[in-house]
Amino acid sequence: MTKTGFVFANLFRKKTRTILTLLSVIMAFLLFGLLQSVNHIFDAGADFIGATRLATQARVSFTQPIPLSMLPKIESVPGVARVAHMQWFGGVWQENTPLFVFAVDPMRQHEVYPEWVMPEAQWKAFANTRTGMVAGRILADQYGWKIGQKIPIRSNIYPQKDGSKAWAFDLVGIYDGSDENWQKQTNAVFINHEYFDEANQFSHGRTNFFMIKLADTNQAEKVSRTIDAMFENSPDETKTQTEKDFNIGFIKQIGDIGMIVRWILFAVFFTLLLVVGNTMAQSVRERIPELAVLKTLGFSDGTVLWFVLAEAGALCLFGGLVGMSIATLFGAMIEKGTGGQFALSVNGWVWMTGLATIVLMTLAVGLLPALRARRLKIVDALAGR
């Protein structure tokens, strides 16, 4: 029998115990892959954003609307090329499906965000249709929306003047992204702010944030300070930051995702260490006489140590690879099932982290039993001491 065959024969001596332990490892790495992918989603939202834009919001929170009358003042700051504004609508599709819906000025949105690609005729239709809306390609494909359709969307924040929260918009365009990264973000709806501002019951002349296109990216910090200083000590103090920081701040409104993921993984792997560590320790305890016989036959202390470590490594490696593979498959299925809106990407970085975790876990659960097997004295082991 080869050494590899010997390791696997010992590993599957107690088949039920080994299979159950293996399932625990698979489940742990499945969670690891998916949760690390979730982390990647929240990071990726900010990574691809260029530093060519700034975002200005209320100093306290972006949920506090600020006056639209600020726009010409911001646009007059040297270094500012164009300013767009966006208001969160709180859209809901059909029964209870949330939508990313923003009320915008169509042409300003077009000029500040050249990454959103749509025929000029559709941009003009959006600007000239008071009840017009444009939808991202992913969203339109997911719900089968076609240009010319009347799309009913409810708002969970803004009622119309008659008290109804049921709105309806004319789909006049479908935008796409200029590259692969932006194409993955085409999951939002833009409605005409002019119509929204007139038709809603209580919010007029205000917006949630301004998106500022810079004429010179080297002046970003200076422009940011100038804008905030302009409204300092006013009823509407502002906070201006890069678009990347703004997106991170937006995400952190729902909590520190990285910290949540780390604590969940810590709990999962701590439990796993106890389970696998106990399995390995018990396995070595049961085979003490056999290990003594191996040493009697001439196997060195180091060889016996590596046998035990190899068993722990095989268990962790096989379970880890299967778990990560299933996570990759699930990630792709979830991304496809949600039309790309929830892009779980078990990428190379997640795999590399997973492999490093496998190595660390092998040492953590296998080293102590392996050292015990290495220190085993033949006489004591055969005597049952």
Coordinates of all heavy atoms in Angstrom, one line a residue, residues 236-328:
D236 N -28.7 74.7 5.9 CA -28.5 73.5 5.1 C -27.0 73.3 4.9 O -26.5 73.4 3.8 CB -29.2 73.6 3.8 CG -30.7 73.7 3.9 OD1 -31.3 72.7 4.4 OD2 -31.3 74.8 3.6
E237 N -26.3 72.9 6.0 CA -24.9 72.7 5.8 C -24.7 71.4 5.0 O -25.5 70.5 5.1 CB -24.2 72.5 7.2 CG -24.2 73.9 8.0 CD -23.4 73.7 9.2 OE1 -23.5 72.7 9.9 OE2 -22.6 74.7 9.5
T238 N -23.6 71.4 4.3 CA -23.4 70.3 3.3 C -22.1 69.4 3.7 O -21.2 69.9 4.4 CB -23.2 70.8 1.9 OG1 -22.1 71.7 1.9 CG2 -24.5 71.5 1.4
K239 N -22.1 68.3 3.1 CA -20.9 67.4 3.2 C -20.6 67.0 1.8 O -21.4 66.3 1.1 CB -21.2 66.2 4.1 CG -20.1 65.2 4.2 CD -20.5 64.0 5.1 CE -19.4 63.0 5.1 NZ -19.8 61.8 5.9
T240 N -19.4 67.4 1.3 CA -19.0 67.0 -0.1 C -17.9 66.0 0.0 O -16.9 66.2 0.7 CB -18.6 68.3 -0.9 OG1 -19.7 69.2 -0.8 CG2 -18.3 67.9 -2.3
Q241 N -18.0 65.0 -0.8 CA -17.0 63.9 -0.8 C -16.9 63.3 -2.2 O -17.7 63.6 -3.0 CB -17.4 62.8 0.2 CG -18.8 62.3 0.0 CD -19.3 61.5 1.2 OE1 -18.5 60.9 2.0 NE2 -20.6 61.6 1.4
T242 N -15.9 62.5 -2.4 CA -15.8 61.8 -3.7 C -16.9 60.8 -3.8 O -17.5 60.4 -2.8 CB -14.5 61.0 -3.8 OG1 -14.5 60.0 -2.8 CG2 -13.3 62.0 -3.5
E243 N -17.2 60.5 -5.1 CA -18.3 59.6 -5.3 C -18.0 58.2 -4.7 O -19.0 57.6 -4.2 CB -18.5 59.4 -6.8 CG -19.8 58.7 -7.2 CD -20.1 58.7 -8.7 OE1 -19.1 58.8 -9.4 OE2 -21.2 58.6 -9.0
K244 N -16.8 57.8 -4.6 CA -16.4 56.6 -4.0 C -16.8 56.6 -2.5 O -17.4 55.6 -2.0 CB -14.9 56.3 -4.2 CG -14.4 55.0 -3.5 CD -12.9 54.9 -3.8 CE -12.4 53.6 -3.1 NZ -11.0 53.4 -3.3
D245 N -16.4 57.6 -1.8 CA -16.7 57.7 -0.4 C -18.2 57.8 -0.2 O -18.7 57.3 0.8 CB -16.0 58.9 0.2 CG -14.5 58.8 0.3 OD1 -14.0 57.6 0.3 OD2 -13.8 59.8 0.3
F246 N -18.9 58.5 -1.1 CA -20.3 58.6 -1.0 C -21.0 57.2 -1.1 O -21.9 56.9 -0.3 CB -20.8 59.5 -2.1 CG -22.4 59.6 -2.1 CD1 -23.1 60.4 -1.2 CD2 -23.1 58.9 -3.1 CE1 -24.4 60.4 -1.2 CE2 -24.4 58.9 -3.1 CZ -25.1 59.7 -2.2
N247 N -20.5 56.4 -2.0 CA -21.1 55.1 -2.2 C -20.8 54.2 -1.0 O -21.7 53.5 -0.5 CB -20.6 54.4 -3.4 CG -21.3 54.9 -4.7 OD1 -22.4 54.6 -5.0 ND2 -20.6 55.8 -5.5
I248 N -19.6 54.3 -0.4 CA -19.3 53.5 0.8 C -20.2 54.0 1.9 O -20.7 53.2 2.7 CB -17.8 53.7 1.1 CG1 -17.0 53.0 0.0 CG2 -17.5 53.1 2.5 CD1 -15.5 53.2 0.2
G249 N -20.4 55.3 2.1 CA -21.2 55.8 3.1 C -22.7 55.4 2.9 O -23.4 55.0 3.9
F250 N -23.1 55.3 1.7 CA -24.5 54.9 1.4 C -24.7 53.4 1.8 O -25.7 53.1 2.5 CB -24.7 55.0 -0.1 CG -26.2 54.8 -0.6 CD1 -27.0 55.8 -0.7 CD2 -26.6 53.5 -0.9 CE1 -28.3 55.7 -1.1 CE2 -27.9 53.3 -1.2 CZ -28.8 54.4 -1.4
I251 N -23.7 52.6 1.5 CA -23.7 51.2 1.9 C -23.7 51.0 3.4 O -24.4 50.2 4.0 CB -22.5 50.5 1.3 CG1 -22.7 50.4 -0.2 CG2 -22.4 49.0 1.9 CD1 -21.4 50.1 -0.9
K252 N -22.9 51.9 4.1 CA -22.8 51.7 5.6 C -24.0 52.1 6.3 O -24.1 51.9 7.5 CB -21.6 52.5 6.1 CG -20.2 51.9 5.7 CD -19.1 52.7 6.2 CE -17.8 52.0 5.9 NZ -16.6 52.8 6.3
Q253 N -25.0 52.7 5.6 CA -26.3 53.0 6.2 C -27.0 51.8 6.7 O -27.8 51.8 7.7 CB -27.2 53.8 5.3 CG -26.7 55.2 4.8 CD -26.7 56.1 6.0 OE1 -27.6 56.2 6.7 NE2 -25.6 56.9 6.1
I254 N -26.7 50.7 6.1 CA -27.4 49.4 6.5 C -26.4 48.6 7.5 O -26.7 47.5 7.8 CB -27.8 48.6 5.3 CG1 -26.6 48.2 4.5 CG2 -28.8 49.3 4.5 CD1 -26.9 47.2 3.4
G255 N -25.3 49.2 7.8 CA -24.4 48.5 8.8 C -23.0 48.2 8.2 O -22.8 48.4 7.0
D256 N -22.1 47.9 9.1 CA -20.8 47.6 8.7 C -20.7 46.1 8.1 O -20.6 45.2 8.9 CB -19.8 47.7 9.8 CG -18.4 47.6 9.4 OD1 -18.1 47.1 8.3 OD2 -17.5 48.1 10.1
I257 N -20.9 46.0 6.8 CA -21.1 44.7 6.2 C -19.8 43.9 6.5 O -19.9 42.7 6.8 CB -21.3 44.8 4.7 CG1 -22.6 45.7 4.4 CG2 -21.4 43.5 4.1 CD1 -23.8 45.1 5.0
G258 N -18.6 44.5 6.3 CA -17.4 43.7 6.5 C -17.3 43.1 7.9 O -17.0 42.0 8.1
M259 N -17.7 43.9 8.9 CA -17.7 43.5 10.3 C -18.7 42.3 10.5 O -18.4 41.3 11.2 CB -18.0 44.6 11.3 CG -17.9 44.3 12.7 SD -16.2 43.8 13.2 CE -15.4 45.4 13.3
I260 N -19.9 42.5 10.0 CA -20.9 41.4 10.1 C -20.4 40.1 9.5 O -20.5 39.1 10.1 CB -22.2 41.9 9.4 CG1 -22.8 43.1 10.2 CG2 -23.2 40.8 9.4 CD1 -24.0 43.8 9.5
V261 N -19.8 40.2 8.3 CA -19.4 39.0 7.6 C -18.2 38.4 8.4 O -18.2 37.1 8.6 CB -18.9 39.4 6.2 CG1 -18.1 38.2 5.6 CG2 -20.1 39.7 5.3
R262 N -17.3 39.2 8.9 CA -16.2 38.6 9.7 C -16.7 37.9 10.9 O -16.2 36.8 11.3 CB -15.2 39.7 10.1 CG -14.3 40.1 8.9 CD -13.2 41.0 9.4 NE -13.6 42.3 9.8 CZ -13.8 43.3 9.0 NH1 -13.5 43.2 7.7 NH2 -14.2 44.5 9.5
W263 N -17.7 38.4 11.6 CA -18.1 37.8 12.9 C -18.9 36.5 12.5 O -18.8 35.5 13.3 CB -19.1 38.7 13.6 CG -18.3 39.6 14.5 CD1 -18.1 41.0 14.4 CD2 -17.6 39.3 15.7 NE1 -17.3 41.5 15.4 CE2 -17.0 40.5 16.2 CE3 -17.4 38.1 16.4 CZ2 -16.2 40.5 17.4 CZ3 -16.6 38.1 17.6 CH2 -16.0 39.3 18.0
I264 N -19.6 36.5 11.4 CA -20.3 35.2 11.1 C -19.3 34.2 10.7 O -19.4 33.0 11.2 CB -21.2 35.5 9.8 CG1 -22.4 36.4 10.3 CG2 -21.8 34.2 9.3 CD1 -23.3 36.8 9.1
L265 N -18.3 34.6 9.9 CA -17.2 33.6 9.6 C -16.4 33.1 10.8 O -16.1 31.9 10.9 CB -16.3 34.2 8.5 CG -16.9 34.4 7.1 CD1 -15.9 35.1 6.2 CD2 -17.3 33.0 6.5
F266 N -16.2 34.0 11.7 CA -15.5 33.6 12.9 C -16.3 32.6 13.7 O -15.7 31.5 14.1 CB -15.3 34.8 13.8 CG -14.7 34.5 15.2 CD1 -13.3 34.3 15.3 CD2 -15.5 34.4 16.3 CE1 -12.8 33.9 16.5 CE2 -14.9 34.1 17.5 CZ -13.6 33.9 17.7
A267 N -17.6 32.8 13.8 CA -18.4 31.8 14.5 C -18.4 30.5 13.8 O -18.3 29.4 14.4 CB -19.8 32.3 14.6
V268 N -18.5 30.5 12.4 CA -18.6 29.3 11.6 C -17.3 28.5 11.8 O -17.3 27.3 12.1 CB -18.8 29.6 10.2 CG1 -18.6 28.4 9.3 CG2 -20.3 30.1 10.0
F269 N -16.1 29.2 11.6 CA -14.9 28.5 11.6 C -14.4 28.1 13.0 O -13.8 27.0 13.2 CB -13.8 29.3 11.0 CG -13.8 29.2 9.5 CD1 -14.5 30.1 8.7 CD2 -13.3 28.1 8.8 CE1 -14.6 30.0 7.3 CE2 -13.3 27.9 7.5 CZ -14.0 28.9 6.7
F270 N -14.9 28.8 14.0 CA -14.6 28.4 15.4 C -15.3 27.1 15.7 O -14.7 26.2 16.3 CB -15.0 29.5 16.4 CG -14.7 29.2 17.8 CD1 -13.4 29.2 18.3 CD2 -15.7 28.8 18.7 CE1 -13.1 28.9 19.6 CE2 -15.4 28.4 20.0 CZ -14.1 28.5 20.5
T271 N -16.5 27.0 15.3 CA -17.3 25.8 15.5 C -16.7 24.6 14.7 O -16.5 23.5 15.2 CB -18.8 26.0 15.1 OG1 -19.3 27.1 15.7 CG2 -19.6 24.7 15.4
L272 N -16.2 25.0 13.5 CA -15.6 23.9 12.7 C -14.3 23.4 13.3 O -14.0 22.2 13.2 CB -15.4 24.5 11.3 CG -14.9 23.6 10.2 CD1 -15.9 22.5 9.9 CD2 -14.4 24.3 9.0
L273 N -13.5 24.3 13.8 CA -12.3 23.9 14.4 C -12.5 22.9 15.6 O -11.8 21.9 15.7 CB -11.5 25.1 15.0 CG -10.8 26.0 13.9 CD1 -10.2 27.2 14.6 CD2 -9.8 25.2 13.2
L274 N -13.6 23.2 16.4 CA -13.9 22.3 17.4 C -14.3 20.9 16.9 O -13.9 19.9 17.4 CB -15.0 22.8 18.3 CG -14.7 24.2 19.0 CD1 -15.9 24.6 19.8 CD2 -13.5 24.0 20.0
V275 N -15.1 20.9 15.8 CA -15.7 19.6 15.3 C -14.5 18.8 14.7 O -14.3 17.6 15.0 CB -16.7 19.9 14.2 CG1 -17.1 18.7 13.5 CG2 -18.0 20.6 14.9
V276 N -13.8 19.5 13.8 CA -12.7 18.7 13.1 C -11.6 18.4 14.0 O -11.0 17.3 13.9 CB -12.2 19.6 11.8 CG1 -11.1 18.8 11.1 CG2 -13.3 19.9 10.9
G277 N -11.2 19.3 14.9 CA -10.2 19.1 15.9 C -10.5 17.9 16.7 O -9.7 17.0 17.0
N278 N -11.8 17.8 17.2 CA -12.2 16.7 18.0 C -12.1 15.4 17.2 O -11.7 14.3 17.7 CB -13.6 16.9 18.5 CG -14.1 15.8 19.4 OD1 -13.5 15.5 20.4 ND2 -15.1 15.1 19.0
T279 N -12.5 15.4 15.9 CA -12.5 14.2 15.1 C -11.0 13.7 15.0 O -10.8 12.5 15.1 CB -13.0 14.6 13.7 OG1 -14.4 15.0 13.8 CG2 -13.0 13.3 12.8
M280 N -10.1 14.6 14.7 CA -8.7 14.2 14.5 C -8.1 13.7 15.8 O -7.4 12.7 15.8 CB -7.9 15.4 14.0 CG -8.2 15.8 12.6 SD -8.0 14.5 11.4 CE -6.4 13.9 11.7
A281 N -8.4 14.4 16.9 CA -7.9 13.9 18.2 C -8.4 12.5 18.6 O -7.7 11.6 19.0 CB -8.3 14.9 19.3
Q282 N -9.7 12.3 18.4 CA -10.3 11.0 18.7 C -9.7 9.9 17.8 O -9.5 8.8 18.2 CB -11.8 11.1 18.5 CG -12.6 9.9 19.0 CD -14.1 10.0 18.9 OE1 -14.6 11.1 18.6 NE2 -14.8 9.0 19.2
S283 N -9.5 10.3 16.5 CA -9.0 9.3 15.5 C -7.6 8.9 16.0 O -7.2 7.7 15.9 CB -8.9 10.0 14.1 OG -8.3 9.1 13.2
V284 N -6.8 9.8 16.4 CA -5.4 9.4 16.9 C -5.4 8.6 18.1 O -4.7 7.6 18.3 CB -4.6 10.7 17.0 CG1 -3.2 10.4 17.7 CG2 -4.3 11.4 15.7
R285 N -6.3 9.0 19.1 CA -6.4 8.3 20.3 C -6.8 6.8 20.1 O -6.2 5.9 20.7 CB -7.5 8.9 21.2 CG -7.1 9.9 22.2 CD -8.1 10.2 23.3 NE -9.4 10.3 22.8 CZ -9.9 11.5 22.5 NH1 -9.1 12.6 22.5 NH2 -11.1 11.6 22.1
E286 N -7.7 6.6 19.1 CA -8.1 5.2 18.8 C -7.0 4.4 18.2 O -7.1 3.1 18.2 CB -9.3 5.2 17.9 CG -10.6 5.8 18.5 CD -11.7 6.1 17.5 OE1 -11.4 5.9 16.3 OE2 -12.8 6.4 17.9
R287 N -6.0 5.0 17.6 CA -5.0 4.3 16.9 C -3.6 4.3 17.5 O -2.6 4.1 16.8 CB -4.9 4.9 15.4 CG -6.1 4.5 14.6 CD -6.0 5.0 13.2 NE -6.1 6.4 13.1 CZ -5.3 7.2 12.4 NH1 -4.3 6.7 11.8 NH2 -5.6 8.5 12.3
I288 N -3.6 4.6 18.8 CA -2.3 4.7 19.5 C -1.5 3.4 19.3 O -0.3 3.4 19.0 CB -2.5 5.1 20.9 CG1 -2.7 6.7 21.0 CG2 -1.2 4.8 21.8 CD1 -3.0 7.2 22.3
P289 N -2.1 2.3 19.6 CA -1.3 1.0 19.4 C -0.8 0.8 18.0 O 0.3 0.4 17.8 CB -2.3 -0.1 19.8 CG -3.3 0.6 20.7 CD -3.5 2.0 20.1
E290 N -1.7 1.2 17.0 CA -1.2 1.0 15.6 C -0.1 1.9 15.3 O 0.8 1.6 14.5 CB -2.4 1.3 14.7 CG -3.5 0.3 14.9 CD -4.8 0.7 14.1 OE1 -4.6 1.4 13.0 OE2 -5.9 0.3 14.4
L291 N -0.1 3.2 15.8 CA 1.0 4.1 15.6 C 2.3 3.6 16.2 O 3.4 3.7 15.6 CB 0.6 5.5 16.1 CG -0.6 6.2 15.5 CD1 -0.9 7.4 16.2 CD2 -0.2 6.5 14.0
A292 N 2.1 2.9 17.4 CA 3.3 2.3 18.0 C 3.9 1.2 17.1 O 5.1 1.1 17.0 CB 2.9 1.8 19.4
V293 N 3.0 0.4 16.5 CA 3.4 -0.7 15.7 C 4.2 -0.1 14.5 O 5.2 -0.6 14.0 CB 2.2 -1.5 15.2 CG1 2.6 -2.5 14.1 CG2 1.6 -2.3 16.4
L294 N 3.7 1.0 13.9 CA 4.3 1.7 12.8 C 5.8 2.1 13.2 O 6.7 1.9 12.4 CB 3.6 3.0 12.4 CG 2.3 2.8 11.5 CD1 1.7 4.1 11.2 CD2 2.7 2.1 10.2
K295 N 5.9 2.6 14.4 CA 7.3 3.0 14.8 C 8.1 1.8 15.0 O 9.3 1.8 14.7 CB 7.2 3.8 16.1 CG 6.6 5.2 15.9 CD 6.7 6.1 17.1 CE 6.2 7.5 16.8 NZ 6.4 8.4 17.9
T296 N 7.5 0.7 15.5 CA 8.3 -0.5 15.7 C 8.8 -1.1 14.3 O 9.9 -1.6 14.2 CB 7.4 -1.6 16.3 OG1 6.8 -1.1 17.5 CG2 8.1 -2.9 16.6
L297 N 8.0 -0.9 13.3 CA 8.4 -1.4 11.9 C 9.4 -0.5 11.3 O 9.9 -0.8 10.2 CB 7.1 -1.4 11.1 CG 6.1 -2.5 11.5 CD1 4.8 -2.4 10.6 CD2 6.7 -3.9 11.4
G298 N 9.7 0.7 11.9 CA 10.8 1.5 11.4 C 10.4 2.8 10.9 O 11.2 3.6 10.4
F299 N 9.1 3.2 11.0 CA 8.7 4.5 10.5 C 9.1 5.5 11.6 O 9.0 5.3 12.8 CB 7.1 4.6 10.4 CG 6.6 3.9 9.2 CD1 6.3 2.5 9.3 CD2 6.5 4.5 8.0 CE1 5.8 1.8 8.2 CE2 6.0 3.8 6.9 CZ 5.6 2.5 6.9
S300 N 9.7 6.6 11.1 CA 10.3 7.6 12.0 C 9.2 8.4 12.7 O 8.0 8.4 12.2 CB 11.2 8.5 11.2 OG 10.5 9.3 10.3
D301 N 9.6 9.2 13.7 CA 8.6 10.1 14.4 C 8.1 11.1 13.4 O 6.9 11.4 13.4 CB 9.3 10.8 15.5 CG 9.7 9.9 16.7 OD1 9.1 8.8 16.7 OD2 10.5 10.2 17.5
G302 N 9.0 11.6 12.5 CA 8.5 12.6 11.6 C 7.5 12.1 10.6 O 6.6 12.7 10.2
T303 N 7.8 10.8 10.1 CA 6.8 10.2 9.2 C 5.4 10.0 9.8 O 4.4 10.3 9.1 CB 7.4 8.8 8.7 OG1 8.7 9.0 8.2 CG2 6.5 8.2 7.6
V304 N 5.4 9.6 11.0 CA 4.1 9.4 11.7 C 3.4 10.8 11.9 O 2.2 10.9 11.7 CB 4.4 8.8 13.1 CG1 3.0 8.7 13.9 CG2 4.9 7.3 12.9
L305 N 4.2 11.8 12.2 CA 3.6 13.1 12.3 C 3.0 13.6 11.0 O 1.9 14.1 10.9 CB 4.7 14.2 12.7 CG 4.3 15.6 12.8 CD1 5.0 16.3 14.0 CD2 4.6 16.4 11.6
W306 N 3.7 13.3 9.9 CA 3.2 13.7 8.6 C 2.0 12.9 8.2 O 1.1 13.4 7.5 CB 4.3 13.6 7.5 CG 5.2 14.8 7.6 CD1 6.5 14.8 7.9 CD2 4.9 16.2 7.3 NE1 7.0 16.1 7.9 CE2 6.1 16.9 7.5 CE3 3.7 16.8 6.8 CZ2 6.1 18.3 7.3 CZ3 3.8 18.2 6.6 CH2 5.0 18.9 6.9
F307 N 1.9 11.6 8.6 CA 0.7 10.8 8.3 C -0.5 11.5 8.9 O -1.6 11.6 8.2 CB 0.9 9.4 8.9 CG 1.6 8.5 8.0 CD1 2.4 7.5 8.5 CD2 1.5 8.6 6.6 CE1 3.1 6.6 7.7 CE2 2.2 7.7 5.8 CZ 3.0 6.7 6.3
V308 N -0.4 11.9 10.2 CA -1.6 12.5 10.8 C -1.9 13.9 10.2 O -3.1 14.2 10.0 CB -1.3 12.7 12.4 CG1 -2.5 13.4 13.0 CG2 -1.0 11.3 13.0
L309 N -0.9 14.7 9.9 CA -1.1 16.0 9.3 C -1.7 15.8 7.9 O -2.6 16.6 7.5 CB 0.2 16.7 9.2 CG 0.6 17.7 10.3 CD1 1.9 18.4 10.0 CD2 -0.6 18.7 10.6
A310 N -1.3 14.7 7.2 CA -1.8 14.5 5.9 C -3.3 14.1 5.9 O -4.1 14.5 5.1 CB -1.1 13.4 5.2
E311 N -3.7 13.4 7.0 CA -5.1 13.1 7.1 C -5.9 14.4 7.3 O -7.0 14.6 6.7 CB -5.3 12.1 8.3 CG -4.9 10.7 8.1 CD -5.1 9.9 9.3 OE1 -6.1 10.1 10.0 OE2 -4.2 9.0 9.5
A312 N -5.4 15.2 8.2 CA -6.2 16.5 8.5 C -6.2 17.3 7.2 O -7.2 18.0 6.9 CB -5.5 17.3 9.6
G313 N -5.0 17.4 6.5 CA -5.0 18.2 5.3 C -5.9 17.7 4.2 O -6.6 18.4 3.5
A314 N -6.0 16.3 4.1 CA -6.9 15.7 3.0 C -8.4 16.1 3.4 O -9.2 16.4 2.5 CB -6.7 14.2 3.0
L315 N -8.7 16.0 4.7 CA -10.1 16.3 5.1 C -10.4 17.8 4.8 O -11.5 18.1 4.2 CB -10.2 16.0 6.6 CG -11.6 16.0 7.2 CD1 -12.4 14.8 6.6 CD2 -11.5 15.8 8.7
C316 N -9.5 18.7 5.2 CA -9.8 20.1 5.0 C -9.8 20.5 3.5 O -10.6 21.3 3.0 CB -8.8 20.9 5.8 SG -8.9 20.7 7.5
L317 N -8.8 19.9 2.8 CA -8.6 20.3 1.4 C -9.8 19.8 0.5 O -10.4 20.6 -0.2 CB -7.3 19.6 0.8 CG -7.0 20.0 -0.7 CD1 -6.8 21.5 -0.8 CD2 -5.8 19.2 -1.2
F318 N -10.2 18.5 0.7 CA -11.3 18.0 -0.1 C -12.6 18.8 0.3 O -13.3 19.2 -0.6 CB -11.5 16.5 0.2 CG -12.6 15.9 -0.6 CD1 -12.4 15.7 -2.0 CD2 -13.8 15.5 -0.1 CE1 -13.4 15.1 -2.8 CE2 -14.8 15.0 -0.8 CZ -14.6 14.8 -2.2
G319 N -12.9 18.9 1.6 CA -14.1 19.7 2.0 C -14.1 21.1 1.5 O -15.1 21.6 1.1
G320 N -12.9 21.7 1.7 CA -12.8 23.1 1.3 C -13.0 23.3 -0.2 O -13.7 24.3 -0.6
L321 N -12.4 22.5 -1.0 CA -12.5 22.6 -2.5 C -14.0 22.4 -2.9 O -14.5 23.1 -3.8 CB -11.6 21.7 -3.2 CG -10.1 22.0 -3.1 CD1 -9.2 20.9 -3.8 CD2 -9.7 23.4 -3.6
V322 N -14.6 21.4 -2.3 CA -16.0 21.1 -2.7 C -16.9 22.3 -2.3 O -17.7 22.7 -3.1 CB -16.5 19.8 -2.1 CG1 -18.0 19.6 -2.3 CG2 -15.7 18.6 -2.7
G323 N -16.7 22.8 -1.1 CA -17.5 23.9 -0.6 C -17.3 25.1 -1.4 O -18.3 25.8 -1.8
M324 N -16.0 25.5 -1.8 CA -15.8 26.6 -2.6 C -16.4 26.5 -4.0 O -16.9 27.4 -4.6 CB -14.3 26.9 -2.7 CG -13.6 27.3 -1.4 SD -14.2 28.9 -0.9 CE -13.4 30.0 -2.1
S325 N -16.3 25.2 -4.5 CA -16.9 25.0 -5.9 C -18.4 25.2 -5.9 O -19.0 25.8 -6.8 CB -16.5 23.5 -6.3 OG -15.2 23.4 -6.4
I326 N -19.0 24.7 -4.8 CA -20.5 24.8 -4.7 C -20.8 26.3 -4.6 O -21.8 26.8 -5.2 CB -21.1 24.0 -3.5 CG1 -20.9 22.5 -3.8 CG2 -22.5 24.3 -3.3 CD1 -21.3 21.6 -2.6
A327 N -20.0 27.0 -3.8 CA -20.3 28.5 -3.6 C -20.1 29.2 -5.0 O -20.9 30.1 -5.3 CB -19.3 29.1 -2.6
T328 N -19.1 28.8 -5.8 CA -19.0 29.4 -7.1 C -20.2 29.1 -8.0 O -20.7 30.0 -8.7 CB -17.7 28.8 -7.8 OG1 -16.6 29.0 -6.9 CG2 -17.4 29.5 -9.1

